[in-house]
Amino acid sequence: MSLRRKQPLGQRRSPASGVESERGSGTVLAAGLGMVVVMVMSLLLLLAQASAAASKAAAAADLAALAAADALRGVSAGEPCLVAAAVAARHKAALVSCTAGGDQSVEVSTELPAGPLLGVATGRARAGPPP
């Protein structure tokens, strides 16, 4: 025979050690830790997307500047800034500025949409003889 008193249903006894009052705290801790991991992974994904977009914008600017410098020197046909705009458009970038210098150099700036959360990525390049 047990010396314990039976309690009515729905009532909890107050434990002396306090272990029963922490019941389910591991689940809450695991769910919180899972949310932190998801947030960190999301931020890393956004950072990777921003880096890839910046790299694409820089590559489009490099290629556009090289093509414009070739057109300026007479190696290829066309107006330098129009050629740069066409090359940038082939790489899904927009030509923002194109400046042909007197020393047969060209400076080009491009923009590329990076996504709804990131805005636009920009690239800038110069092609021609060394300054």
Side-chain angles (χ1 to χ4, degrees):
M1 184 185 264
S2 174
L3 296 176
R4 289 181 155 180
R5 277 181 58 201
K6 289 190 175 185
Q7 293 194 340
L9 289 174
Q11 287 184 359
R12 288 190 165 176
R13 49 184 184 123
S14 58
S17 65
V19 172
E20 208 170 303
S21 65
E22 295 179 8
R23 184 168 229 182
S25 63
T27 304
V28 173
L29 181 64
L33 187 60
M35 291 298 289
V36 167
V37 168
V38 167
M39 292 297 291
V40 167
M41 293 302 288
S42 298
L43 289 175
L44 286 175
L45 179 64
L46 283 174
L47 181 64
Q49 285 179 338
S51 176
S55 177
K56 287 179 184 178
D62 287 340
L63 293 172
L66 287 171
D70 282 348
L72 184 65
R73 290 180 32 216
V75 176
S76 63
E79 182 68 29
C81 290
L82 294 177
V83 171
V87 170
R90 275 188 236 137
H91 294 284
K92 297 182 177 121
L95 186 67
V96 176
S97 70
C98 176
T99 307
D103 59 345
Q104 292 189 345
S105 66
V106 178
E107 287 191 30
V108 171
S109 293
T110 59
E111 282 187 349
L112 181 76
L117 295 176
L118 300 174
V120 294
T122 59
R124 173 176 264 149
R126 179 192 174 279

